[in-house]
Amino acid sequence: MKLVKFGAFLLLLAAVLAACGNRESRPSTKEYVLTTALENGNPVFLGVGDEINGLVNPRLSAEAGQVITITLVNGGEGRHQIVFPAIKVETATVSQKGESASVTFTVPGNLEELEYEDGNSAYTALGMKGVLAISESQSAPVAQQPADPVLYTKELAVSSFQKGGCLACHTISEVPGAVGTIGPDLSEIGKLASQRIETGEYTGMAKTTEAYLLESIQSPDAFVSPDCPAGPCTKGLMPASVSEIFSENELKAVVNYLAALPDGEIKPVEVAAGPVEAQPEVAVAAPVGETPELTEEEFSWAKQTFFERCAGCHGTLRKGATGPALTPDKTLPKGTVGLAAIIYNGTSRGMPGWGTQGILTDAQTKTMAKYLQNDPPAPPELSLQEMKESWQLITPVEQRPTSPQTTRDWENYFIVTLRDAGQVAIIDGDTYEIVSTVDSGYAVHITRMSASGRYAYVTGRDGRLALIDLWMEKPEVVARVQTCYDARSVEVSKYEGPEGDFRDKYAVTGCYWPPHFAILDGQTLEPMKVVSTRSYTYDTGEFHTEPRVAAILASHFKPEWIVNVKETGQVWIVNYTDPMNPTIKMIEAALFLHDGGWESTKRYFMVAANQSNKIAVIDSQEGDLEALVDTPAVPHPGRGANWIDPEFGPVWSSPHLGDPAVVSVATDPLGHADNAWKSVRVTPLPGAGSLFIKTHPDSKWIWVDMTLNSDPVLARTICVIAKDNPAEVSKCWEVSTYGRTVHMEYNKQGTEVWISVWGDAAIAGETGEIVIYDDATLEEKARIKDLITPTGKFNVFNTVNDIY
Ligand code: DHE
């Protein structure tokens, strides 16, 4: 990624803006610069320069048909991106302070305004969004060659790079967004080309720098450059069809611009007198930003091929998993040709070269690129039969140990998600040794244990479920199954009582897609039953086709699961005594139910309806909604934290994504009836963006993170609140020098807190680690280093017993 010194960048930008301002005859372009900043603890976009200078989430304006460039400068190291969702246009993501990215597009004529927002929906929820107001075009087609032909040539070249998708593969240090690492770096190509011609290194037909560059665009294999980032370039790497996208003038502008690099003078493109179309005539492939069309045959081939070859890494819904998201908002700005080149050649980050490996032809990579620029079709359903076909019983029950084969205290194991490695690590909570690392499926989201604790169930964004036997000397996966294409929850049957002993008997997975939950044999994962959650929203009674299953919790007192159905706002109480004929009670609660846990008696289930800013309280004894508690923006408790407030008695607390506060809800209707189900205390935090909170009945502290705060220091800071002085935070400190701090978990004894540092899998030494603190003294005890992006971690004993 290109790092630009902010000051130097502003100077350069000021020069460009000044140049633009001087032009009289061509008011067709506009540029805005925004940076990221914190305003009252919340992340915002801040205008830089001109009429938006210093304005928070500024209202931008442009004429229909104008070519507008938006540049985003990272002001504080969070990962940001400006996105115009309605037209699927976005900048690249900027992840480090001072880093910038731009996007140029033509302002549409059919809208009055366009909303922009951060590419990370959590930041958007925190308020990073604004509007681009669109007025009618004032400028008639341009009658003359522009006043500054050099500037015109430069602008035409830069917009042509965008249009041709060149930026997806090449770095050009002067061109915003040109950060591709597939083809050679073109930042000094003019000088390099003339040197090559002079030294005889060049073997093509051209005699001049311009001809060299023209040839490299029109017949790229005539001379293959020796200096691609991953080694010498190869024939076929650069698609010849790029030249077909450009008009004659665009091609000239591109050649002249490149020929002048790095510091020569740009030869202006001569524009014939008379009217010049604002958008020059174009050719075969759709220009960047426009959705390309596919024939029915192409579409169905691409759809099938995507499911077979690509969905595993990019997700069936193309929302990203091991590989990045491939929704049109991401793929359109890359251009069909640029995207096809990536598919053909692969990337240094591990994507195979489907063309270079001979699996897809050149034409097929282009078809796939076009397919990826269209909205993803509704993904397939998954029948019970298909689940059964995916089921693998690796070690049958009778071949498994009948008692623990290890002398370790396996109840003190931590099952740690190694998010970007597609693995979980099983770590001994006493010795901090990694006992086993198993392939789990990628982007694992959560782990839950069977009621005995012996089995760990692991699932995540690929909808695959793995069952790990913790009694084995080296824990291994004993069964696998696919019950969804995208999952977030798994739970087990925990009940033992008059209605039967259901411990370790069943498992249940909750899916985002298809929207259903599936009941499985708890020991083998054999699929037994699938139940769709498609239904009607609780409030307006509208049918919803994709109500996702969020948290699922098992009751300790009844043979029931509490299943939260996000988009319909219903909590389903599912009785599993007869799993083939389950009874379901549907409780109307609030929209966007997400995550939650039990209060201390485990009778009441507290669930955050995150986008409704509410906590719903479900009485599992009576099977009804006990209360709805209003909270600040976007509560996100994980499973929450139970403790005794010195003033209000037993409470359950949640932090918030959108508000710098921990809110405590009183949970004792018997002992503290007046306060029950009210938000009784707000403890301010230094920043918002919290994801998780944790405590232990024996601890004097409540621990809270601020993982998604846009300030990198706060994102890696942890705070503790003292239970005997909960009005304010007692202490906050940075857990690491990099990454984000996320998710806390106690050991079995309740004496240590384990915290993940969520790093970057691509940066050696900063991939991530777990930091272990003494809960009594808050002193650091140990670091388990070099883990690949650890996120959630689940102590066996605490997860079985719902201790939090
Ligand atoms: Fe999670 C729990 C959904 C993003 C780490 N997450 C949950 C649960 C749901 C959920 C429904 C509750 C499961 C349960 O208890 O049965 N999470 C989602 C999302 O939809 C969301 C916002 C976006 C997405 O596409 O997944 C999301 N979650 C994240 C992350 O970015 C995190 C930090 C890292 C990651 O996995 O990519 C993350 N989520 C977690 C963790 C839990 C979790 C660690 C379990 C917390 C616990 O202590 O029980």
Side-chain angles (χ1 to χ4, degrees):
M1 279 294 223
K2 183 176 54 143
L3 282 174
V4 181
K5 289 249 163 36
F6 192 35
F9 172 78
L10 287 182
L11 281 177
L12 172 79
L13 189 87
V16 172
L17 291 179
C20 292
N22 288 340
R23 286 179 302 143
E24 282 158 17
S25 57
R26 199 177 173 83
S28 60
T29 64
K30 186 141 196 185
E31 306 200 29
Y32 279 116
V33 181
L34 290 94
T35 185
T36 61
L38 275 184
E39 177 88 356
N40 301 326
N42 280 327
V44 294
F45 293 117
L46 204 61
V48 179
D50 291 341
E51 79 269 15
I52 61 164
N53 198 27
L55 295 184
V56 169
N57 296 327
R59 187 174 173 84
L60 314 177
S61 61
E63 287 173 18
Q66 257 189 323
V67 175
I68 185 167
T69 298
I70 309 280
T71 299
L72 174 66
V73 182
N74 190 318
E77 282 189 34
R79 287 171 66 80
H80 297 282
Q81 183 186 30
I82 289 189
V83 179
F84 290 82
I87 52 168
K88 296 172 178 159
V89 161
E90 64 184 22
T91 64
T93 300
V94 290
S95 53
Q96 294 180 49
K97 191 169 183 174
E99 189 181 346
S100 70
S102 302
V103 64
T104 301
F105 59 95
T106 304
V107 176
N110 56 345
L111 297 169
E112 286 179 4
E113 56 179 40
L114 273 176
E115 289 178 356
Y116 66 88
E117 60 186 42
D118 197 285
N120 180 332
S121 57
Y123 287 134
T124 306
L126 293 175
M128 292 188 86
K129 54 188 170 189
V131 162
L132 167 68
I134 302 173
S135 54
E136 268 179 35
S137 172
Q138 304 297 314
S139 49
V142 181
Q144 301 293 327
Q145 182 165 359
D148 183 344
V150 171
L151 189 65
Y152 168 69
T153 305
K154 189 173 172 177
E155 284 178 356
L156 188 58
V158 170
S159 66
S160 306
F161 290 137
Q162 295 268 356
K163 179 177 166 189
C166 313
L167 314 183
C169 295
H170 293 285
T171 293
I172 311 173
S173 53
E174 269 192 20
V175 177
V179 291
T181 52
I182 292 180
D185 185 330
L186 300 181
S187 305
E188 303 201 350
I189 189 62
K191 192 165 122 196
L192 210 60
S194 59
Q195 279 170 1
R196 282 184 180 148
I197 293 169
E198 268 170 37
T199 58
E201 181 195 346
Y202 163 73
T203 51
M205 306 291 289
K207 303 279 182 257
T208 65
T209 307
E210 282 80 4
Y212 172 110
L213 292 165
L214 190 64
E215 181 192 72
S216 69
I217 298 169
Q218 291 179 326
S219 319
D221 289 345
F223 170 71
V224 178
S225 167
D227 51 7
C228 276
C233 309
T234 48
K235 281 198 172 181
L237 189 65
M238 161 96 174
S241 53
V242 167
S243 61
E244 297 163 14
I245 293 174
F246 298 141
S247 70
E248 202 181 318
N249 271 351
E250 286 170 332
L251 196 55
K252 275 188 203 156
V254 165
V255 165
N256 291 3
Y257 180 90
L258 292 177
L261 289 176
D263 45 21
E265 283 195 8
I266 299 173
K267 246 188 247 168
V269 171
E270 280 166 30
V271 181
V276 176
E277 292 298 323
Q279 288 293 306
E281 75 288 354
V282 181
V284 223
V288 171
E290 271 179 33
T291 308
E293 286 181 8
L294 291 106
T295 62
E296 238 172 70
E297 200 184 333
E298 284 175 328
F299 193 86
S300 88
W301 171 84
K303 181 176 159 191
Q304 189 57 30
T305 307
F306 183 85
F307 285 134
E308 284 168 9
R309 299 202 177 271
C310 319
C313 283
H314 295 282
T316 304
L317 303 168
R318 294 205 229 135
K319 286 184 180 163
T322 308
L326 293 175
T327 39
D329 54 323
K330 314 271 185 230
T331 53
L332 277 171
K334 287 197 161 34
T336 311
V337 175
L339 205 57
I342 295 174
I343 299 168
Y344 193 93
N345 296 294
T347 68
S348 54
R349 281 174 297 167
M351 155 136 161
W354 296 103
T356 51
Q357 291 184 8
I359 298 166
L360 299 183
T361 63
D362 185 37
Q364 284 172 326
T365 55
K366 286 199 187 87
T367 304
M368 182 57 80
K370 287 196 272 178
Y371 171 77
L372 296 178
Q373 291 183 303
N374 279 269
D375 284 323
E381 303 293 326
L382 192 66
S383 67
L384 188 65
Q385 183 53 34
E386 285 164 323
M387 288 180 206
K388 285 185 175 169
E389 283 160 17
S390 76
W391 174 50
Q392 290 171 268
L393 184 57
I394 298 160
T395 311
V397 178
E398 57 281 8
Q399 290 171 22
R400 296 179 199 163
T402 50
S403 61
Q405 300 298 291
T406 173
T407 51
R408 296 174 190 271
D409 180 3
W410 57 273
E411 285 193 321
N412 197 24
Y413 284 168
F414 285 74
I415 318 300
V416 180
T417 299
L418 304 180
R419 191 185 176 286
D420 298 342
Q423 295 177 319
V424 293
I426 295 136
I427 304 183
D428 184 335
D430 295 322
T431 63
Y432 312 152
E433 288 165 296
I434 299 178
V435 184
S436 180
T437 304
V438 303
D439 291 336
S440 48
Y442 40 75
V444 163
H445 218 87
I446 65 164
T447 296
R448 296 291 187 243
M449 314 308 160
S450 66
S452 69
R454 170 195 181 152
Y455 291 114
Y457 301 77
V458 180
T459 194
R461 288 194 178 83
D462 63 359
R464 294 195 164 93
L465 177 64
L467 176 66
I468 303 167
D469 186 353
L470 301 176
W471 276 8
M472 291 176 158
E473 193 179 354
K474 185 168 181 245
E476 281 171 14
V477 173
V478 291
R480 291 183 193 278
V481 70
Q482 177 141 32
T483 57
C484 337
Y485 296 114
D486 193 10
R488 291 295 179 284
S489 50
V490 58
E491 183 56 299
V492 297
S493 51
K494 288 189 174 174
Y495 174 79
E496 189 216 357
E499 292 182 63
D501 183 355
F502 292 93
R503 289 171 301 166
D504 291 20
K505 203 156 181 192
Y506 304 126
V508 56
T509 51
C511 304
Y512 269 19
W513 188 271
H516 63 213
F517 66 84
I519 303 175
L520 316 154
D521 182 290
Q523 310 254 338
T524 65
L525 298 190
E526 182 175 8
M528 298 170 65
K529 179 85 185 170
V530 55
V531 180
S532 173
T533 50
R534 287 190 174 105
S535 173
Y536 295 83
T537 53
Y538 89 94
D539 51 353
T540 58
E542 278 166 82
F543 184 67
H544 204 291
T545 51
E546 199 184 338
R548 297 174 291 172
V549 178
I552 303 183
L553 263 86
S555 168
H556 292 256
F557 305 118
K558 288 188 173 191
E560 289 176 349
W561 289 307
I562 319 277
V563 176
N564 293 275
V565 189
K566 202 181 256 247
E567 277 75 17
T568 54
Q570 299 173 2
V571 177
W572 288 10
I573 304 218
V574 179
N575 185 300
Y576 52 71
T577 41
D578 179 4
M580 304 308 287
N581 304 285
T583 56
I584 301 177
K585 179 164 183 184
M586 299 177 183
I587 301 173
E588 298 190 346
L591 290 181
F592 313 120
L593 301 164
H594 190 81
D595 54 347
W598 296 108
E599 51 66 60
S600 59
T601 68
K602 301 187 175 72
R603 169 174 172 169
Y604 297 98
F605 170 61
M606 319 284 292
V607 55
N610 58 9
Q611 296 299 337
S612 303
N613 303 331
K614 286 189 187 343
I615 300 292
V617 183
I618 304 296
D619 181 350
S620 68
Q621 201 93 28
E622 299 292 329
D624 59 15
L625 176 73
E626 181 74 14
L628 282 176
V629 186
D630 287 325
T631 69
V634 199
H636 196 283
R639 283 167 288 166
N642 288 298
W643 55 286
I644 314 271
D645 186 285
E647 211 179 325
F648 303 106
V651 292
W652 174 95
S653 305
S654 174
H656 295 75
L657 263 165
D659 203 273
V662 168
V663 166
S664 298
V665 178
T667 56
D668 182 18
L670 298 178
H672 299 77
D674 286 354
N675 294 324
W677 318 125
K678 289 184 187 145
S679 155
V680 288
R681 186 182 290 287
V682 177
T683 312
L685 293 176
S690 296
L691 285 181
F692 298 110
I693 189 166
K694 193 59 60 86
T695 191
H696 187 279
D698 298 337
S699 172
K700 57 184 177 193
W701 305 110
I702 300 148
W703 297 66
V704 59
D705 62 26
M706 290 166 287
T707 315
L708 293 187
N709 197 293
S710 64
D711 179 338
V713 172
L714 286 180
R716 55 178 183 251
T717 294
I718 203 86
C719 292
V720 289
I721 300 166
K723 290 180 184 172
D724 61 4
N725 179 24
E728 58 188 18
V729 156
S730 286
K731 189 180 170 192
C732 299
W733 69 94
E734 282 177 66
V735 174
S736 60
T737 52
Y738 67 92
R740 293 170 186 272
T741 295
V742 66
H743 197 251
M744 295 70 63
E745 178 72 314
Y746 276 84
N747 63 348
K748 177 182 170 188
Q749 298 80 359
T751 54
E752 289 173 357
V753 176
W754 290 34
I755 302 180
S756 301
V757 177
W758 184 6
D760 183 335
I763 305 179
E766 296 190 359
T767 56
E769 57 197 282
I770 286 180
V771 187
I772 300 169
Y773 290 97
D774 182 308
D775 184 62
T777 63
L778 305 181
E779 272 167 23
E780 183 180 316
K781 284 181 84 172
R783 279 176 190 251
I784 305 172
K785 287 188 156 273
D786 298 324
L787 300 173
I788 307 289
T789 56
T791 52
K793 58 216 137 328
F794 304 88
N795 177 273
V796 173
F797 183 83
N798 292 334
T799 309
V800 167
N801 296 296
D802 284 293
I803 296 173
Y804 35 82

